Amino acid sequence: MSTYYYELMEYMKAIKPISTHCHHRPDAMFANDFCLKTLLEESYSNWCGVEVGDTFESRKYYFDLIKNRNFFKCLEKALQLIYKIDTPLRADTYEIFDFAVRKAHREDPDFHMKLLTDIAGYDHVILDSYWQPGENGGHPELFSPTFRIDSFFFGFNPELKDHDGNNCGKFFGDRFGDFDTFFMSLKELIIDSHKRGAVAIKCATPYDRGLDFEFVTEKKARKVFEKREGSYDIADVKAFQDYIFLQTCQIAAELDIPFQVHTGLGRLSKTNAYLLQPVIEANPDTRFVLFHGGYPWMDDIFGLVHVYPKNVFPDIVWLPLISTEAAVRMLTELIEVANSQSICWGDDTWTSEESYGALMAVRHVLAMVLSNKIKDGYMLPADAFEAASNILRNNAQRIYRFE
Ligand SMILES: [Zn+2]
């Protein structure tokens, strides 16, 4: 590591970051006997296909399988620093970490918020509470909502649910009776949420379907409502959902708020960011924030930011947690092809401990990439330091209007 790596790391400690995306859980979860098991279950370590369990054997099996996963490494590192524990987190040290987590949250119910404001030092965090779209979790001083639209994709049938188990009818009552009232309600709800502080709209539909949104006619989109009593088919559902996405692009443009779109991973099939190209082309006044580097198809993002520099904003949210190495690869190239005021970052976590891990991961990524750019003679030191504060703070401040 060059000295610039350490200088950048030191410099970034003084920057108050703005995270463009999180799912921070309600206060009640942290107040209610919050322990290491809950923390692990509410983290990406829970996405590794193995359960932590309650016995020494189950924990040993769990850590044996996930101990080298980046998701776990970031969380382990954060726990070691927050709770001042030197040992690695494994089955034989589980109780030490569990005791520390329980004690801190029991003694101070506000500890989870203090971790975000005092330890991580966040200035603003955009909250995607998909269990309560458009709300700020009771902490408007830190959280600004993004309005999550996924549950609307299933609004044509109150019995159906999105991948998080939600239907817009459950959240907003029986106001989606027919096609016209549905779209009137969608728009009203977004406008109302914006008035109450929502700074963006969010779509995470790749967990339910692909990003292959087509330019459907209103006539075609209506069918799923008209045939409700009969039998609508998959094509009718897709047309209705395509129409929602297109309408939301227009609403975002009218309100002049960014439209955050999850790209990559999810169900994997048809989640490539490139699939959004026709919609981006047709909506030059909509500011598309493309999440997660489109991982693993990061090249799609490079192409889109290159061709649409005015309305495509790459956000490496979550990427440093998925794979720090991938984030280094992505940012190394992204800096060369994206304008310096467009790249943002978000933590994308449910708990403060993992959020701090995500922040440390992105700082490491920035220090690695930018110190290399200085060493290679590509960037002036001053420009590299400026890029770090742009990506951690200034770009989000401008794009989401936090001034
Ligand atoms: Zn997320």
Side-chain angles (χ1 to χ4, degrees), residues 293-313:
Y295 185 86
W297 303 288
M298 300 186 291
D299 289 358
D300 287 32
I301 303 288
F302 300 142
L304 291 169
V305 296
H306 203 282
V307 177
Y308 305 100
K310 287 185 178 159
N311 70 324
V312 169
F313 300 85

Side-chain angles (χ1 to χ4, degrees), residues 21 23 202 348:
H21 182 64
H23 306 287
K202 163 83 192 298
D348 207 353

Side-chain angles (χ1 to χ4, degrees), residues 72-91:
F72 175 70
K73 300 300 278 186
C74 294
L75 180 61
E76 180 188 44
K77 181 112 183 135
L79 290 171
Q80 287 174 326
L81 284 172
I82 292 166
Y83 297 107
K84 301 183 174 55
I85 302 171
D86 290 334
T87 60
L89 170 56
R90 298 290 185 273

Side-chain angles (χ1 to χ4, degrees), residues 30 34-45 52 62-63 66 70-90 93-105 111 115 119 321 351-361:
F30 300 97
F34 190 66
C35 62
L36 181 58
K37 191 181 178 204
T38 309
L39 175 51
L40 291 169
E41 286 173 347
E42 294 285 329
S43 77
Y44 290 106
S45 296
V52 63
Y62 174 81
F63 290 114
I66 71 160
N70 203 59
F71 285 147
F72 175 70
K73 300 300 278 186
C74 294
L75 180 61
E76 180 188 44
K77 181 112 183 135
L79 290 171
Q80 287 174 326
L81 284 172
I82 292 166
Y83 297 107
K84 301 183 174 55
I85 302 171
D86 290 334
T87 60
L89 170 56
R90 298 290 185 273
T93 57
Y94 187 93
E95 304 295 345
I96 301 170
F97 285 84
D98 186 45
F99 179 80
V101 171
R102 283 175 190 268
K103 185 170 182 286
H105 288 272
F111 185 64
L115 276 180
I119 307 294
L321 278 183
T351 67
S352 310
E353 284 86 348
E354 192 169 35
S355 181
Y356 188 49
L359 178 62
M360 286 192 299

Side-chain angles (χ1 to χ4, degrees), residues 257-274:
I257 56 175
F259 189 10
Q260 302 177 318
V261 186
H262 176 116
T263 67
L265 288 180
R267 290 178 48 182
L268 221 52
S269 172
K270 296 183 181 173
T271 67
N272 312 57
Y274 174 67

Side-chain angles (χ1 to χ4, degrees), residues 209-239:
R209 53 153 287 173
L211 291 170
D212 51 335
F213 300 107
E214 291 173 274
F215 299 105
V216 288
T217 59
E218 187 188 303
K219 190 164 173 261
K220 217 173 159 188
R222 282 178 179 274
K223 283 192 178 166
V224 81
F225 272 95
E226 290 167 357
K227 289 192 197 171
R228 180 185 270 184
E229 300 303 327
S231 54
Y232 47 76
D233 57 30
I234 293 170
D236 298 329
V237 172
K238 183 174 182 299

Side-chain angles (χ1 to χ4, degrees), residues 27 30-31 104-113:
D27 294 350
F30 300 97
H105 288 272
R106 193 175 50 232
E107 285 178 357
D108 182 1
D110 218 25
F111 185 64
H112 70 109
M113 291 305 295

